[in-house]
Amino acid sequence: MIMGLTGDSKGQLLSQLAELVKEISGLPECRNSCKKMHGTLVRRIKLLSPLFEELRDGNEESMVKIEEIKGFELLKSALDSTKKLLQSINEGSKLHQALQKDQVAYKFQQMTETIEAALSEIPYDKLDISEEVQEQIELVHAQFRRAKGRPESPDLQLEHDLSIVQKEKDPDPAILKRLSDKLQLRTINDLTKESVALHELVITSGEDPGERIEEMASLLKKLKDFVLTENPEADTSEGEKGLMKHRSPVIPDDFRCPISLELMKDPVIVSTGQTYERSCIQKWLDAGHKTCPKTQQTLLHTALTPNYVLKSLIALWCESNGVELPKKQGTCRSRKAGSSASDCDRTAIIALLEKLANGNSEQQRAAAGELRLLAKRNADNRVCIAEAGAIPLLVELLSCTDPRTQEHAVTALLNLSINDSNKGTIVNAGAIPDIVDVLKNGSMEARENAAATLFSLSVIDENKVAIGAAGAIPALIKLLCEGSPRGKKDAATAIFNLSIYQGNKARAVRAGIVPPLMRLLKDAGGGMVDEALAILAILASHHEGRAAIGQADPIPVLLEVIRTGSPRNRENAAAVLWSLCTSNLEQLKIAKDFGAEEALKDLSETGTDRAKRKAGSILELLQQLEVKEDAVSLSSL
């Protein structure tokens, strides 16, 4: 007997599918660099609507075979994921999507493949649908099938323009105009929304406001300068433009605090993503309110994140319109004697610690993310967060099963460890074994930040011993092999610092560090030659390190670096070569056979002081070798 679903179950599923198609079809038009991919996917999905409507309105007493239902269930899951992707594209940062266009295109390609796979599980010829609908669905299916192997062509003009604007301090206005139009960032209102989207990206994804965020903020500032220069009245109505000469400029709505309706002096973002004047929202919170004044949503926490990009926009608008730059009110940010942070920040930090200690998993994740950002922001926050007792709570979260919470916790500890006094507190809280565990088993982002944390902690000599004993070095070597460029550098700097301690040199060699270092050294385009040579130079001072390096056929690549490398790399290559040649006659002979003498003579004249000494010492050994070989030759006559 074939199992099936009743008409009621069938009808419910088809109604859900029809509703999903309707919701996707009704999404706002995409207004950024993903416009073509977004529009194409929505158009194809919209064409599926007649299938579900006809089936839903058909014979309710019919039975649907399990093979058929499998396809519909898969399609529902695929459309759910697609709706989330399309919404995130519409609501997200336009600059981030433009800079990450390859990753975004990959997500669209994945959705296309998932929908096609689901459609392949639906036998249209066995369904009770009209011939016209069957032909339409088969046509849509064919479009998805063709799209699987035909990824989106790159927008070379956009990539070129972004590259130019990133590199140049004062880009060509024509290029900025193209970018402004392409990304639909044409007005102050557009730019303000983009600044909020950037901050939302930092908060929700846990991104540090590091190089990538700074890169986007820099791009946004250049576009903002262009917009204000080309069209300083971009967000004013025609009537207002006519009156501009006779009265003060109209303040854009997004620059006004939703509570006071005044121009914001110190804009901050609450957990719902809304921005307020700091003093106004703080009064609201101090009065016992737990909701966002504008949306009435319950606040997950009461931390206030400075909206630096909006503040910069306000400052530039004021400058362009001859308005005096607003000054922050002193009541909220003034410090008490002996206090390392403002009352507002201290209150926010205490509230976040309460969430860390007693909140549910979502509250803990959000609180850890906020602390991560606060600790990144300035030295005062790092002191205040530690003084409030956050470190033991963050260490506890290192063993959390939620990957994002774990990432936030380890990165918060990394940021806190910048303060030297916090390093001891972190170690005393028993963090090292847990950080090493994150390094071994966490997500790639968590592993990379764990490596950076271990490097920061290893600045203190006694911590080098503890970190090495906790088993960090094999995990760091693994990250060195498979991490992102930043992750590899974090792993390399941690390994280098740990290897200053003699016992860790042996651990690194026994864990197999030399082969991956040699691979990095030979890959000139990989960007890791400096780090590989620095670690090899320190390992070469250990007898096990010299032996392992000697087995890796190092002489040719070391001599190539001595001939063509940077001054520091030539110095380190000479140091490795010196360690090999002074301890092993065979290595000295190999160096001679590969023409070391000429390269070392040049280094002895043009290298750093240390490089000159190493080169001179090896040249003496080569001369001694030559004398011995000549003597042997004479004795054989």
Side-chain angles (χ1 to χ4, degrees):
M1 179 178 179
I2 298 176
M3 295 180 65
L5 292 183
T6 64
D8 286 344
S9 298
K10 170 194 172 187
Q12 184 180 12
L13 178 58
L14 294 173
S15 293
Q16 291 171 343
L17 284 164
E19 185 61 29
L20 271 171
V21 171
K22 182 179 178 182
E23 289 174 359
I24 290 171
S25 303
L27 289 174
E29 181 185 0
C30 182
R31 298 176 67 243
N32 57 37
S33 59
C34 303
K35 181 176 181 179
K36 183 179 178 183
M37 293 185 292
H38 187 287
T40 300
L41 189 54
V42 169
R43 175 178 53 78
R44 289 174 180 155
I45 290 171
K46 192 173 183 178
L47 293 173
L48 295 173
S49 182
L51 170 65
F52 309 125
E53 291 174 357
E54 189 161 315
L55 285 172
R56 185 183 57 186
D57 298 337
N59 182 5
E60 292 296 335
E61 296 180 359
S62 65
M63 302 287 285
V64 183
K65 294 180 182 178
I66 193 72
E67 294 91 344
E68 297 168 7
I69 287 297
K70 178 184 176 185
F72 289 129
E73 291 283 5
L74 289 173
L75 189 56
K76 179 179 178 298
S77 175
L79 292 180
D80 271 325
S81 299
T82 300
K83 186 178 85 167
K84 291 176 183 175
L85 172 63
L86 295 172
Q87 287 175 328
S88 71
I89 294 297
N90 273 335
E91 297 165 5
S93 162
K94 296 175 180 180
L95 284 172
H96 180 259
Q97 290 165 13
L99 291 170
Q100 302 290 315
K101 199 163 187 294
D102 288 344
Q103 291 90 323
V104 174
Y106 176 69
K107 290 179 181 178
F108 272 94
Q109 191 68 15
Q110 280 186 311
M111 288 298 100
T112 296
E113 293 176 5
T114 305
I115 294 171
E116 193 282 326
L119 291 173
S120 297
E121 297 288 337
I122 302 175
Y124 316 117
D125 56 338
K126 296 181 182 179
L127 299 175
D128 185 19
I129 55 176
S130 65
E131 185 175 333
E132 180 184 355
V133 170
Q134 182 175 331
E135 288 178 355
Q136 178 171 326
I137 299 307
E138 287 177 346
L139 177 63
V140 177
H141 189 182
Q143 291 177 356
F144 274 105
R145 193 181 302 117
R146 285 196 300 272
K148 275 202 316 179
R150 194 172 55 200
E152 179 75 10
S153 301
D155 189 334
L156 298 179
Q157 183 68 64
L158 175 63
E159 291 178 6
H160 175 264
D161 289 348
L162 282 169
S163 176
I164 294 295
V165 174
Q166 285 175 285
K167 291 177 183 175
E168 295 186 3
K169 184 177 180 181
D170 296 308
D172 186 340
I175 297 177
L176 289 168
K177 176 71 165 62
R178 276 202 303 269
L179 269 185
S180 176
D181 290 340
K182 183 76 175 181
L183 301 179
Q184 297 284 302
L185 295 172
R186 294 169 172 156
T187 67
I188 290 294
N189 190 43
D190 292 335
L191 293 162
T192 303
K193 289 178 180 177
E194 175 65 14
S195 78
V196 173
L198 281 180
H199 277 272
E200 190 67 20
L201 173 71
V202 173
I203 293 167
T204 58
S205 70
E207 291 281 355
D208 285 333
E211 289 184 10
R212 192 151 62 90
I213 299 300
E214 289 171 7
E215 187 178 73
M216 288 187 281
S218 174
L219 278 171
L220 185 60
K221 184 178 184 303
K222 290 173 184 176
L223 286 169
K224 171 184 56 186
D225 291 344
F226 167 76
V227 168
L228 287 172
T229 302
E230 293 293 305
N231 188 14
E233 302 170 17
D235 275 351
T236 57
S237 67
E238 290 299 321
E240 287 169 343
K241 288 177 183 177
L243 295 172
M244 282 291 277
K245 296 180 181 179
H246 306 290
R247 60 173 172 81
S248 299
V250 174
I251 301 170
D253 288 341
D254 290 297
F255 291 178
R256 296 178 184 271
C257 172
I259 297 174
S260 68
L261 300 182
E262 297 293 330
L263 183 66
M264 284 186 277
K265 307 168 182 67
D266 189 11
V268 293
I269 303 173
V270 298
S271 66
T272 60
Q274 299 296 323
T275 296
Y276 299 93
E277 171 62 32
R278 183 187 286 274
S279 60
C280 296
I281 190 62
Q282 191 62 51
K283 288 178 183 176
W284 170 268
L285 296 173
D286 290 345
H289 297 291
K290 304 294 184 184
T291 57
C292 172
K294 190 171 182 179
T295 67
Q296 297 304 308
Q297 291 175 274
T298 301
L299 296 171
L300 293 175
H301 51 79
T302 56
L304 304 176
T305 303
N307 192 333
Y308 291 121
V309 179
L310 180 58
K311 184 178 179 182
S312 175
L313 281 170
I314 292 172
L316 275 169
W317 179 86
C318 289
E319 183 181 337
S320 301
N321 288 277
V323 176
E324 186 178 354
L325 187 65
K327 297 177 182 179
K328 289 188 291 184
Q329 296 176 357
T331 55
C332 188
R333 297 291 296 181
S334 61
R335 298 165 183 246
K336 291 182 178 180
S339 173
S340 58
S342 69
D343 291 340
C344 288
D345 284 345
R346 186 176 295 279
T347 303
I349 289 166
I350 296 299
L352 289 172
L353 296 199
E354 175 63 24
K355 300 293 185 186
L356 280 190
N358 302 311
N360 59 35
S361 58
E362 289 186 5
Q363 291 171 328
Q364 286 182 324
R365 185 191 310 122
E370 289 289 347
L371 286 170
R372 166 185 182 169
L373 295 175
L374 285 171
K376 176 80 174 181
R377 200 137 284 144
N378 59 57
D380 287 344
N381 282 352
R382 289 190 276 276
V383 173
C384 185
I385 290 169
E387 288 177 351
I391 288 173
L393 295 173
L394 290 168
V395 171
E396 286 183 24
L397 288 183
L398 292 176
S399 54
C400 176
T401 55
D402 177 62
R404 178 60 71 183
T405 303
Q406 191 180 68
E407 288 170 15
H408 288 331
V410 75
T411 312
L413 289 170
L414 166 61
N415 295 336
L416 290 170
S417 72
I418 295 170
N419 180 293
D420 284 342
S421 63
N422 287 346
K423 288 180 170 65
T425 308
I426 292 170
V427 173
N428 292 337
I432 288 177
D434 291 324
I435 296 172
V436 171
D437 190 59
V438 173
L439 178 65
K440 292 177 179 177
N441 304 309
S443 67
M444 184 55 73
E445 181 184 344
R447 289 170 61 196
E448 292 177 350
N449 288 337
T453 308
L454 291 175
F455 164 70
S456 178
L457 296 176
S458 67
V459 171
I460 298 173
D461 286 340
E462 54 264 34
N463 291 345
K464 293 180 175 66
V465 182
I467 293 169
I473 291 175
L476 288 169
I477 294 172
K478 187 177 181 185
L479 181 61
L480 183 67
C481 295
E482 61 189 33
S484 68
R486 181 181 72 86
K488 288 181 178 180
K489 287 186 181 293
D490 286 337
T493 51
I495 291 168
F496 176 85
N497 219 35
L498 291 172
S499 296
I500 293 171
Y501 170 60
Q502 192 76 356
N504 286 335
K505 293 176 186 175
R507 286 192 176 102
V509 172
R510 293 166 192 168
I513 183 68
V514 171
L517 288 177
M518 292 303 300
R519 287 195 296 271
L520 294 173
L521 182 57
K522 293 174 183 177
D523 180 14
M528 291 292 293
V529 172
D530 297 5
E531 291 81 359
L533 268 173
I535 298 171
L536 286 169
I538 203 168
L539 293 178
S541 65
H542 189 277
H543 68 279
E544 290 185 42
R546 285 193 297 276
I549 295 169
Q551 294 170 5
D553 190 26
I555 303 296
V557 68
L558 290 173
L559 289 175
E560 180 62 25
V561 173
I562 288 172
R563 292 186 184 102
T564 63
S566 67
R568 177 53 57 87
N569 285 347
R570 295 176 78 198
E571 176 185 310
N572 281 329
V576 177
L577 186 64
W578 178 85
S579 294
L580 294 172
C581 291
T582 53
S583 62
N584 189 312
L585 183 60
E586 286 302 313
Q587 296 292 346
L588 185 64
K589 290 179 178 179
I590 294 171
K592 179 177 180 296
D593 292 341
F594 275 97
E597 187 172 358
E598 183 180 350
L600 290 167
K601 282 181 179 177
D602 179 66
L603 184 62
S604 67
E605 296 171 359
T606 62
T608 64
D609 289 343
R610 179 169 176 251
K612 288 177 180 177
R613 290 196 301 273
K614 297 296 183 185
S617 179
I618 302 170
L619 284 170
E620 288 180 9
L621 292 174
L622 287 171
Q623 290 170 0
Q624 294 171 12
L625 176 64
E626 188 173 350
V627 169
K628 289 179 181 178
E629 288 177 342
D630 289 344
V632 171
S633 297
L634 288 171
S635 65
S636 63
L637 293 177

